Amino acid sequence: MHTTVGIIGGGPAGLLLARLLHNAGIDSVVLESRDRAYVEQRQRAGILEQGTVDILRAAGAGARMDTEGMPHDGIELRFDGRAHRLDFPALTGGRSVMVYAQTEVVKDLIALQLADGGTLLFDAEVTAVEGADTERPTVRYRHDGQDKTLTCDYVVGCDGFHGVARNAVPESVRTTYERTYPYSWLGILADARPVYDELIYAHHERGFALASMRSPTVSRLYLQVPNGTDPADWSDERIWDELDARFATDADPGWKLERGTVTSKSVLPMRSHVTEPMRYGRVFLAGDAAHIVPPTGAKGLNLAAADVVRLAEAFTRLHTTGGTDLLDAYSDAALRRVWRAEHFSYFMTTTLHSEPEQSPFQTRLQISQLDRIASSEHAAAELAENYAGLPFTG
């Protein structure tokens, strides 16, 4: 096969790019190493920035999101026995976020891709990307038990941190920046009604906790735990008790979560990672193939969406005018937004989590920062603007 844009990875980034290219009249092929059932059940982020919501609607993928998603106009911070709500629309000039699981975004985009006859191959394991610096790079993959090739005018790697696309950027020109955090998240999905209207971020002497949701009847909850924690060591009752303890406030000490059946339990390590540049020759990197953020700032899926929106605009410019200026500017422009999101995610993570053997001095600094956010409209607006999402382009 030959296509204009070969897309490696059928997650939200690759699928959204394929949709945007289709709407611009540009052909593409999406290669996904997993089967459809796995891709549609892969649990990831559930918070969509205003910009992600807007682009899904504009791409024709917002109908079910607008029916089943849950708009949120803020978050609540709990710390030092207090609770403080941030009103996003008031602080950002009307911007908010949407709770709509990545699984559902992926289902919507897959349905659109297949309905429009776009080429989307599941169980297509990419083994190599060759000729990145030539006019016709080649993607080698295995599908239906056969080794096959896809030649492309351009290749976009949306295949995640462990994918092969990043290897198309030679080590001699590639720089990696990384931080590993000394704690993880123990996350659960539970058939339990959320007793909170918006996400709760809790700073506690025993560690961070986050109350989120997937639907009006399904809770998504997290606890900070040491690296290397085995989920089996945490009984359901122990998890619920610890969550209640970390969310407690002086104003409402009897506040409790609604408990229900825990349907999923896993431990998520925390890290920050950036690969530069995000382009080499005719191969471009997007999403987790180029950058990883800790989930505290809810930026992973949204950063990926911003990358592919920028790429779609660049390919559309090339398609309509022959101009390559936006493609040439992609890496530098995308990385400016990436590093802003990296900093915000780092800030949220280090402000809300406790280091192993953390000193009282460090804890007081964290409380001071959270108190500043609660008492200063300027500090609150800085957090709200970053959380609700900075502009995708520009």
Side-chain angles (χ1 to χ4, degrees):
M1 284 192 297
H2 178 80
T3 188
T4 301
V5 182
I7 301 171
I8 307 173
L15 293 167
L16 178 57
L17 177 58
R19 181 64 185 173
L20 296 173
L21 294 177
H22 169 82
N23 290 348
I26 303 168
D27 66 288
S28 68
V29 171
V30 182
L31 303 174
E32 165 57 45
S33 64
R34 302 282 192 163
D35 62 33
R36 180 175 180 177
Y38 180 93
V39 173
E40 293 186 340
Q41 295 170 13
R42 187 163 43 194
Q43 292 289 340
R44 291 292 187 273
I47 307 298
L48 307 182
E49 292 178 1
Q50 183 72 64
T52 305
V53 170
D54 293 343
I55 198 64
L56 287 171
R57 287 173 178 154
R64 196 162 67 93
M65 174 188 68
D66 285 330
T67 300
E68 301 178 14
M70 295 175 286
H72 281 199
D73 287 337
I75 59 172
E76 183 177 298
L77 298 175
R78 294 191 180 186
F79 63 98
D80 200 27
R82 292 176 277 164
H84 178 78
R85 180 179 182 270
L86 297 179
D87 185 330
F88 288 169
L91 293 164
T92 66
R95 298 172 71 80
S96 59
V97 297
M98 176 83 76
V99 175
Y100 189 61
Q102 175 176 310
T103 52
E104 307 314 301
V105 173
V106 167
K107 289 174 186 175
D108 295 341
L109 290 169
I110 287 175
L112 286 170
Q113 179 78 356
L114 297 179
D116 289 335
T119 304
L120 167 57
L121 301 182
F122 293 103
D123 291 312
E125 182 182 1
V126 174
T127 56
V129 179
E130 300 172 353
D133 56 351
T134 69
E135 293 186 358
R136 182 162 288 196
T138 298
V139 178
R140 298 193 180 278
Y141 66 101
R142 188 164 182 81
H143 186 244
D144 290 337
Q146 295 182 325
D147 292 327
K148 301 182 179 182
T149 60
L150 172 68
T151 58
C152 318
D153 294 338
Y154 296 92
V155 174
V156 178
C158 302
D159 50 344
F161 182 80
H162 298 290
V164 303
R166 193 165 35 148
N167 294 328
V169 182
E171 290 187 5
S172 60
V173 302
R174 191 171 72 206
T175 303
T176 297
Y177 304 88
E178 190 165 23
R179 173 179 175 133
T180 300
Y181 296 84
Y183 35 72
S184 300
W185 280 7
L186 171 62
I188 65 167
L189 274 175
D191 291 332
R193 178 180 62 89
V195 294
Y196 39 91
D197 295 325
E198 296 169 333
L199 274 65
I200 303 173
Y201 287 76
H203 175 282
H204 193 273
E205 61 183 7
R206 287 154 68 163
F208 169 77
L210 171 62
S212 182
M213 68 276 287
R214 283 295 179 263
S215 76
T217 60
V218 177
S219 295
R220 182 66 161 156
L221 300 149
Y222 299 94
L223 286 168
Q224 177 187 340
V225 295
N227 286 342
T229 293
D230 185 347
D233 292 339
W234 283 76
S235 68
D236 294 358
E237 183 178 11
R238 181 187 177 191
I239 292 172
W240 290 117
D241 288 346
E242 189 65 21
L243 286 164
D244 283 339
R246 296 190 193 184
F247 287 124
T249 64
D250 294 342
D252 190 6
W255 188 90
K256 301 288 185 183
L257 294 164
E258 181 169 304
R259 301 189 178 193
T261 301
V262 175
T263 59
S264 174
K265 189 186 303 182
S266 60
V267 169
L268 174 67
M270 311 277 281
R271 67 182 170 193
S272 300
H273 177 100
V274 179
T275 293
E276 296 187 4
M278 292 172 61
R279 175 194 183 176
Y280 177 73
R282 293 196 171 208
V283 174
F284 298 81
L285 304 180
D288 287 359
H291 42 73
I292 300 285
V293 289
T296 326
K299 290 287 156 256
L301 185 155
N302 296 293
L303 262 186
D307 288 345
V308 299
V309 166
R310 191 178 297 277
L311 277 172
E313 291 182 353
F315 284 125
T316 300
R317 173 75 64 85
L318 177 68
H319 179 67
T320 55
T321 71
T324 63
D325 55 319
L326 294 183
L327 285 174
D328 295 337
Y330 167 72
S331 182
D332 289 342
L335 282 167
R336 283 195 293 272
R337 194 180 194 280
V338 166
W339 279 111
R340 177 88 298 274
E342 290 282 353
H343 183 271
F344 176 68
S345 300
Y346 171 84
F347 165 78
M348 290 287 286
T349 302
T350 56
T351 300
L352 291 165
H353 291 71
S354 298
E355 298 275 341
E357 301 181 5
Q358 178 163 300
S359 70
F361 179 81
Q362 290 173 292
T363 301
R364 292 306 302 161
L365 288 177
Q366 291 175 320
I367 296 298
S368 174
Q369 180 61 57
L370 291 166
D371 186 62
R372 168 70 176 168
I373 294 167
S375 59
S376 165
E377 183 175 337
H378 295 293
E382 176 68 12
L383 191 156
E385 287 177 358
N386 281 275
Y387 197 102
L390 302 176
F392 273 16
T393 58

